Amino acid sequence: MRKRHGWIAFSSFFRKAIAKSGLHHLPCQPSTSSLNRTDPEASIRSTVDWTDSALYGDHIWFETNVSGDYCYVGEQHCIARALQKSVGRKKCAACKIVAHTLCIEQLEKFPSSRAILLDATLPLNDPDFRINFRCKPSFRESNSRNIREPIVVRHHWVHRRRQEGKCKQCGKGFQQKFAFHSKEIVAISCSWCKQAYHNKVSCFMLQQIEEACPIGAHAALIVPPTWIIRVRRHQSSMKSSKKKKRTSFKRKSSKKGAEEGRQWKPFIIRPIPSPLMKPLLVFVNPKSGGNQGNKILQSFMWYLNPRQVFDLSQGGPKEGLELYRKVHNLRILTCGGDGTVGWILSCLDELVLNPQPPVAVLPLGTGNDLARTLNWGGGYTDEPLSKILSHVEEGTVVQLDRWNLQVEPNLGAGAEPDEQQTDKLPLDVFNNYFSLGFDAHVTLEFHESREANPEKFNSRFRNKMFYAGTAFSDFLMGSSKDLSKHIKVVCDGTDLTSKVQDLKLQCLVFLNIPRYCAGTTPWGNPSDHHDFEPQRHDDGYIEVIGFTMTSLATLQVGGHGERLNQCREVTLTTTKPLPVQVDGEPCRLAPSVIHISLRNQANMVQKTKRRTSLPHLNDQQPVPDRLRIRVSRISMSDYEALHYDKDKLRQASIPLGLIVVPGDSDLETCREHIQRLQEDFCSVHPSFRCLGPQEEADKPRILSSQRLSPKWCFLDSTTADRFYRIDRAQEHLNYVSEISQEEIFILDPELVVMTTVGTSPSAMPDLVNPSSSLVNSSSSQRQRVNSDSSAAEALTNNSAPVASKLSRAGCIHRSNTTAADFKPKLRQEKSQKTSETEREKEMLIECVKNKDMKKLQELHLKGADLTTLDLSGCTLLHHAVSAGSKEMVRYILDNAPSDLLDVTEKLHGETVLHRAASLCHRTICHYLVEAGASLMKTDLQGDTPKNRAEKAHDAELAAYLENRQHYQMIQREDQETAV
């Protein structure tokens, strides 16, 4: 008992000492009067305060949905607990403590000298009570003896009820009893360096409270609070007392005082330069990427000093850039779309910083072509921000050409004025591209529709859906066919007008970077250039590319445009109002003469391959010549549910095989080996190649014959405390030894997984040794159902071995096989009970085949079932598509359940979209896609609707379906939590 009381006394003293350390580790503290707030709203801030009334150690509060009833002030002093009512909670972005909104004021310092009396116990109803816990300090005061003297940053210790990782002292994990509902303090961690210790004497010593903090893994990027100084404005009384002492220097000093008055700002930056420091400014556009921007803003405030992280919706980037303009070796991270990057670069031009700080990109927008060019990927998914900060620190500085656009009215055009035309471009400089014609028309339609109905464009997925629909409609109408008749193009003195007219180009793009239109490469591969040089973003040349409707449609499947020229200057003359766009900002430009010329070069940070990390994960040992690596496959459903639990996700993975690769291979090389993995397996075991529906259900096996989907990606399972996806465009930047030397995990978004009754561990087939046995399949824990097969038959089959029988309760079911595969089959069995319904079914099918719309409507009004199937499993939609009747298809879509869209017939396993694509019915395909038909379902040959269009030699339809397939994948990504 005595030991227990001693520990309680230590814990009490410990808590108070930590609270005290949060306030007394910098030499100059704000007066107690400055801590006394009168405005209750001011006590709950969600932004950094840059005014002269900013409070030292102020928290930055955001809404949270954290589980449990935990409040940092503790049960004894929690107002919400005393009132026994449900109260909202907020979380501090900088130190990650959680408190009830009513209790936040309790965390402040005493407004009187009683603050020092740490062991004073006040009742809860005392209005002067404070728990005395401030946030990590982000600045210091200016009234020290020497403003330039180095000042040590000390730890900011926080008690944690939950803590990931291991104790720095003993190396053991943090036991979290009863998970979210435990009120036990298990750890003590520092908000700066993230070091964590067990909450016991053997791990955390009292002397550590006042130790200097190393600031952690990102010390080179963090702006220390000692660099940011709050400057107090001189009081009028002080000025009047100095007036009497002025002599012959009165005029000069008063002028200087006036200048200081105009230039005074509450905060100044006094950096201490170091060759190892690369201080980082982070600018976040919270409107980009749905809710991603807001979450990323909070995360960076945790990893860095909150005063180096700026919300662009709170006044833009200019003030932050001005404040840090004299910081040596500064770097900038822009979190947003390409438009946000252009905004930052334009502000840097205005401020004329010398040298100009290099800019890195965290892509949150929809196109992100500049981010792709600089190897930052096409969009942020779930890579840990800590790893992104390391890439920013280690990235290479490269140059990016920027181009001026000068517009003059073409007074001799003689065209009729358009009410919507303008004589100015939305931007006078571009970094990515300037274009006119078809693509600009689609973008303009989108912007005009969004301005008219903003409520209909509230998600990234809806925006992309509208883009695709507008593009398809414009494609059918051919609104840009006469573009070449109304423009004149002169590149470096060479007139290209006749060539543009001969080729009948409908879109003209002046491209500065290799990427365009969400990642396509319109200039093509270097080996295809022939008379032109490979494209570069730093050579002072701009590429001029033309497109017909066909070549523009084939971009998404690896095609390229018509290469016209590489030049330094362009003069473009238009003779009628035409849609144009500058880096995605569209307008309808009046007849004009447009001059394009090089403006300057901006410094950018390019993500590079981390060669220094190669030996790191191998304990400083050289990388082996060859690596023998297991490959396991994970479904999207498992990943969404378990990606924060490494052990459970490993258990949920399904073996795919083994690969042998050189030790220094990157992930692009591994992708080639994995793609060959199933091909080799099928060649050795041909009986597994194309199983029919019955075989698929009956045949016990370890590996499914389902192909890897085109959208599979690698998962990093080692460099962070959770699994995360690696962008396909960044595979060449990652060595396989960085993410594993024994096992690689891949995420397949189209993998269908069903649990089995078997309990013994599954065997791993060795595809390197083809003679290895593939028996003992009854030990498999999981069985995959091929998208080619009928899930209904797999579920209802009674002749399968006992170990392969599926447990319906444990079924994890993805998009390739939907509920639609079950319902129509049940309806079909019921319809066979009476000859009357059989005749009705025959009449329905016959009238659809004969395109008899009137008869179909009559039967439907009499109660005929539009979800009926024939003996081959075809729906009425299948027959309407075969007949090529747009009216029939539209009527059935409007009046039948949406489940009908993805029903597969028995002979080829095709959906109605497969059939429409094979027959090149473009408008019908458009109807089906807009109605929600799956673009990712595969037939018995493993083909998607896009593959069917390619086999039918309709490249434009294939490109359209490829686009929409991409958007369906984005919809899934939008539903995930990014940070």
Side-chain angles (χ1 to χ4, degrees):
M1 180 65 72
R2 183 177 301 172
K3 183 178 179 182
R4 172 70 176 165
H5 283 304
W7 169 245
I8 293 173
F10 170 78
S11 295
S12 176
F13 174 75
F14 204 28
R15 177 184 285 273
K16 293 167 184 174
I18 289 179
K20 185 176 180 181
S21 74
L23 283 169
H24 295 280
H25 59 272
L26 290 182
C28 301
Q29 302 300 322
S31 64
T32 53
S33 61
S34 70
L35 290 168
N36 187 13
R37 291 174 173 161
T38 56
D39 182 7
E41 291 298 322
S43 64
I44 304 179
R45 294 194 61 88
S46 60
T47 57
V48 176
D49 188 358
W50 287 98
T51 67
D52 56 351
S53 60
L55 292 169
Y56 183 81
D58 205 8
H59 293 281
I60 306 166
W61 298 105
F62 288 89
E63 296 291 338
T64 182
N65 56 356
V66 64
S67 301
D69 57 356
Y70 179 74
C71 179
Y72 198 77
V73 302
E75 289 187 14
Q76 182 183 359
H77 306 298
C78 178
I79 297 175
R81 183 178 177 84
L83 296 175
Q84 295 185 346
K85 60 184 288 189
S86 178
V87 179
R89 282 163 296 193
K90 290 185 181 289
K91 184 176 185 177
C92 175
C95 66
K96 286 196 172 181
I97 67 167
V98 177
H100 292 101
T101 308
L102 292 177
C103 303
I104 286 176
E105 196 177 353
Q106 303 296 99
L107 294 168
E108 299 174 10
K109 191 171 168 59
F110 283 113
S112 67
S113 59
R114 284 185 297 167
I116 334 168
L117 305 175
L118 292 172
D119 39 5
T121 305
L122 298 176
L124 183 63
N125 58 4
D126 189 319
D128 289 333
F129 176 78
R130 298 289 186 275
I131 210 69
N132 186 26
F133 184 80
R134 310 294 298 172
C135 191
K136 63 184 183 186
S138 58
F139 66 92
R140 67 182 175 104
E141 297 287 356
S142 62
N143 52 341
S144 65
R145 293 179 181 177
N146 183 359
I147 203 170
R148 290 189 177 278
E149 69 182 27
I151 301 173
V152 174
V153 178
R154 303 194 184 279
H155 291 288
H156 179 262
W157 298 110
V158 184
H159 288 99
R160 303 291 182 194
R161 192 168 56 103
R162 289 176 53 80
Q163 181 66 45
E164 301 294 334
K166 296 181 179 180
C167 174
K168 190 175 188 300
Q169 179 64 28
C170 68
K172 296 180 181 178
F174 298 95
Q175 298 299 323
Q176 294 156 17
K177 298 177 182 177
F178 308 111
F180 292 102
H181 298 290
S182 172
K183 297 177 177 61
E184 178 185 352
I185 303 298
V186 299
I188 298 161
S189 70
C190 173
S191 301
W192 281 118
C193 66
K194 316 301 186 262
Q195 290 180 10
Y197 298 84
H198 280 111
N199 182 28
K200 52 187 180 183
V201 186
S202 59
C203 289
F204 189 86
M205 310 299 176
L206 285 177
Q207 60 265 29
Q208 291 176 257
I209 292 176
E210 295 294 329
E211 284 182 355
C213 179
I215 306 187
H218 304 300
L221 298 175
I222 294 174
V223 175
T226 54
W227 287 17
I228 306 173
I229 303 166
R230 199 233 306 265
V231 182
R232 297 288 185 182
R233 188 191 292 270
H234 293 292
Q235 302 296 327
S236 56
S237 58
M238 295 173 62
K239 291 181 180 178
S240 60
S241 65
K242 290 179 181 178
K243 257 183 183 179
K244 300 174 183 178
K245 299 180 181 180
R246 291 177 181 162
T247 56
S248 58
F249 298 100
K250 182 177 180 181
R251 179 174 297 177
K252 183 177 180 181
S253 60
S254 62
K255 183 179 179 182
K256 182 179 179 182
E259 289 177 357
E260 287 180 351
R262 285 195 300 270
Q263 296 176 357
W264 177 84
K265 290 185 179 180
F267 288 88
I268 59 172
I269 309 295
R270 290 291 171 84
I272 301 173
S274 166
L276 300 177
M277 290 285 288
K278 295 178 182 177
L280 181 68
L281 278 191
V282 180
F283 293 99
V284 183
N285 186 348
K287 297 178 182 179
S288 294
N291 196 34
Q292 280 186 323
N294 195 39
K295 293 178 180 178
I296 284 173
L297 179 75
Q298 297 175 42
S299 295
F300 277 126
M301 287 182 175
W302 162 247
Y303 283 111
L304 307 171
N305 186 331
R307 291 187 182 273
Q308 67 187 108
V309 183
F310 292 86
D311 182 345
L312 288 173
S313 65
Q314 303 292 321
K318 196 169 183 179
E319 288 198 10
L321 293 171
E322 282 183 335
L323 186 66
Y324 285 85
R325 67 181 303 155
K326 293 184 179 180
V327 175
H328 176 70
N329 218 12
L330 183 69
R331 290 197 170 195
I332 294 170
L333 175 60
T334 303
C335 307
D338 288 345
T340 307
V341 179
W343 187 11
I344 300 292
L345 294 179
S346 295
C347 285
L348 289 172
D349 282 350
E350 289 179 31
L351 296 174
V352 198
L353 300 188
N354 189 22
Q356 187 192 78
V359 179
V361 185
L362 179 59
L364 299 183
T366 51
N368 303 314
D369 291 305
L370 181 57
R372 295 171 198 265
T373 298
L374 298 172
N375 292 334
W376 293 104
Y380 178 72
T381 50
D382 53 5
E383 183 176 359
L385 293 184
S386 179
K387 190 168 183 181
I388 289 172
L389 288 172
S390 298
H391 284 302
V392 173
E393 181 183 348
E394 298 165 5
T396 305
V397 178
V398 297
Q399 277 64 52
L400 173 71
D401 295 335
R402 305 185 71 228
W403 298 84
N404 277 324
L405 287 166
Q406 296 178 334
V407 180
E408 302 171 0
N410 183 6
L411 301 176
E416 294 184 7
D418 188 327
E419 292 182 1
Q420 298 178 336
Q421 74 181 31
T422 177
D423 57 356
K424 290 183 179 179
L425 291 171
L427 300 170
D428 60 0
V429 60
F430 70 92
N431 309 304
N432 297 5
Y433 62 88
F434 169 72
S435 69
L436 68 163
F438 171 74
D439 69 330
H441 176 74
V442 172
T443 307
L444 184 62
E445 288 281 320
F446 168 77
H447 277 257
E448 289 175 348
S449 299
R450 183 169 62 177
E451 288 180 5
N453 301 285
E455 71 282 354
K456 295 182 179 179
F457 298 85
N458 55 4
S459 78
R460 182 173 66 173
F461 177 66
R462 281 189 181 182
N463 295 352
K464 285 183 173 288
M465 290 279 283
F466 184 90
Y467 262 112
T470 305
F472 190 74
S473 301
D474 198 58
F475 162 67
L476 294 175
M477 295 172 63
S479 58
S480 303
K481 286 183 178 179
D482 60 345
L483 171 71
S484 58
K485 299 177 183 178
H486 303 285
I487 60 173
K488 179 182 179 182
V489 188
V490 179
C491 299
D492 286 346
T494 303
D495 193 337
L496 301 178
T497 307
S498 59
K499 188 172 183 180
V500 170
Q501 292 174 348
D502 291 343
L503 294 170
K504 297 181 180 179
L505 300 178
Q506 295 170 256
C507 175
L508 209 58
V509 179
F510 301 88
L511 192 63
N512 183 44
I513 59 176
R515 301 286 182 170
Y516 164 75
C517 194
T520 62
T521 51
W523 191 250
N525 298 317
S527 58
D528 299 334
H529 291 153
H530 303 300
D531 298 332
F532 296 101
E533 294 294 324
Q535 187 175 13
R536 293 176 58 91
H537 53 72
D538 60 353
D539 58 358
Y541 284 87
I542 193 167
E543 281 67 32
V544 185
I545 309 168
F547 293 98
T548 61
M549 293 300 290
T550 303
S551 60
L552 195 60
T554 57
L555 270 183
Q556 293 290 344
V557 290
H560 61 81
E562 183 69 35
R563 305 180 190 97
L564 300 176
N565 210 312
Q566 287 177 304
C567 57
R568 292 183 178 273
E569 290 187 355
V570 177
T571 302
L572 178 66
T573 306
T574 63
T575 58
K576 66 174 280 190
L578 291 174
V580 302
Q581 63 171 332
V582 187
D583 282 352
E585 295 293 329
C587 72
R588 192 176 303 279
L589 188 66
S592 305
V593 179
I594 306 165
H595 300 280
I596 303 176
S597 59
L598 185 66
R599 178 188 182 92
N600 57 23
Q601 286 189 320
N603 291 328
M604 307 297 292
V605 179
Q606 187 173 51
K607 186 176 179 181
T608 54
K609 188 176 284 188
R610 301 174 65 189
R611 294 190 180 278
T612 55
S613 66
L614 260 172
H616 175 68
L617 293 177
N618 202 25
D619 298 326
Q620 304 303 319
Q621 297 297 321
V623 177
D625 291 337
R626 300 184 76 76
L627 292 173
R628 191 168 182 266
I629 302 176
R630 296 192 303 273
V631 182
S632 296
R633 195 177 186 186
I634 292 173
S635 69
M636 179 63 78
S637 55
D638 284 341
Y639 179 78
E640 290 171 344
L642 304 172
H643 75 284
Y644 278 93
D645 191 323
K646 285 187 173 182
D647 293 334
K648 289 183 179 178
L649 198 52
R650 283 192 179 96
Q651 293 171 11
S653 65
I654 300 171
L656 193 64
L658 291 162
I659 60 172
V660 178
V661 296
D664 59 350
S665 297
D666 58 25
L667 294 185
E668 271 191 347
T669 303
C670 290
R671 175 175 284 272
E672 295 172 3
H673 283 76
I674 292 172
Q675 295 284 26
R676 290 199 297 265
L677 196 61
Q678 286 184 312
E679 296 174 12
D680 294 342
F681 178 69
C682 289
S683 65
V684 175
H685 304 277
S687 61
F688 281 81
R689 182 173 295 175
C690 291
L691 299 177
Q694 191 67 27
E695 294 171 298
E696 187 75 23
D698 290 349
K699 196 174 183 74
R701 66 194 185 284
I702 296 172
L703 290 181
S704 168
S705 59
Q706 182 182 351
R707 296 182 183 182
L708 282 170
S709 72
K711 301 294 183 182
W712 73 266
C713 66
F714 287 100
L715 293 173
D716 189 328
S717 61
T718 60
T719 60
D721 57 358
R722 58 180 173 83
F723 281 59
Y724 71 90
R725 286 168 284 185
I726 297 175
D727 193 309
R728 173 78 178 267
Q730 299 184 45
E731 289 176 3
H732 67 290
L733 302 176
N734 291 271
Y735 291 99
V736 63
S737 55
E738 281 188 313
I739 67 168
S740 174
Q741 288 196 358
E742 294 181 354
E743 185 170 16
I744 285 179
F745 296 93
I746 63 175
L747 174 66
D748 191 346
E750 297 179 30
L751 175 62
V752 179
V753 179
M754 292 190 179
T755 57
T756 65
V757 179
T759 55
S760 58
S762 59
M764 164 62 71
D766 188 347
L767 295 190
V768 176
N769 180 10
S771 63
S772 61
S773 175
L774 289 176
V775 295
N776 300 325
S777 58
S778 62
S779 65
S780 174
Q781 282 186 310
R782 292 177 149 231
Q783 178 178 351
R784 288 178 294 172
V785 176
N786 189 358
S787 62
D788 307 344
S789 68
S790 167
E793 292 181 11
L795 283 172
T796 56
N797 186 351
N798 294 322
S799 62
V802 175
S804 320
K805 289 181 179 177
L806 301 179
S807 168
R808 289 174 183 265
C811 175
I812 302 176
H813 193 61
R814 296 304 295 173
S815 66
N816 281 7
T817 310
T818 66
D821 292 315
F822 303 91
K823 295 181 181 179
K825 183 172 180 68
L826 296 176
R827 294 192 187 105
Q828 180 184 349
E829 292 172 354
K830 291 178 182 178
S831 67
Q832 294 172 351
K833 293 178 181 179
T834 64
S835 59
E836 183 180 343
T837 54
E838 193 67 32
R839 285 195 300 271
E840 182 184 85
K841 181 175 70 173
E842 291 175 359
M843 291 171 65
L844 275 172
I845 294 172
E846 195 64 27
C847 69
V848 171
K849 287 182 176 179
N850 296 331
K851 302 183 184 181
D852 190 344
M853 176 61 77
K854 187 177 180 181
K855 184 67 174 177
L856 177 65
Q857 292 173 335
E858 288 178 2
L859 290 171
H860 180 228
L861 290 173
K862 290 179 181 179
D865 187 5
L866 296 182
T867 63
T868 188
L869 304 179
D870 65 12
L871 294 177
S872 64
C874 287
T875 66
L876 294 180
L877 272 176
H878 281 91
H879 293 295
V881 169
S882 297
S885 174
K886 301 174 188 177
E887 295 77 14
M888 287 279 188
V889 171
R890 173 56 67 190
Y891 183 81
I892 297 171
L893 289 175
D894 290 341
N895 293 281
S898 59
D899 291 344
L900 209 62
L901 283 165
D902 293 330
V903 174
T904 55
E905 51 83 44
K906 294 179 180 179
L907 184 60
H908 303 293
E910 64 180 16
T911 64
V912 286
L913 188 55
H914 280 99
R915 184 165 293 187
S918 296
L919 297 172
C920 302
H921 292 327
R922 295 181 177 183
T923 304
I924 291 178
C925 284
H926 182 61
Y927 289 163
L928 295 172
V929 171
E930 293 301 314
S934 172
L935 287 140
M936 293 175 282
K937 286 201 70 165
T938 54
D939 61 14
L940 294 181
Q941 300 300 318
D943 290 332
T944 62
K946 182 207 75 169
N947 300 140
R948 287 289 194 93
E950 288 174 342
K951 288 182 177 180
H953 306 292
D954 192 335
E956 294 173 357
L957 179 58
Y960 166 73
L961 294 173
E962 170 76 12
N963 265 319
R964 302 313 290 270
Q965 184 175 340
H966 174 67
Y967 301 144
Q968 284 191 358
M969 293 301 302
I970 288 173
Q971 185 182 31
R972 287 184 182 175
E973 293 177 5
D974 283 349
Q975 293 169 352
E976 299 170 15
T977 302
V979 178

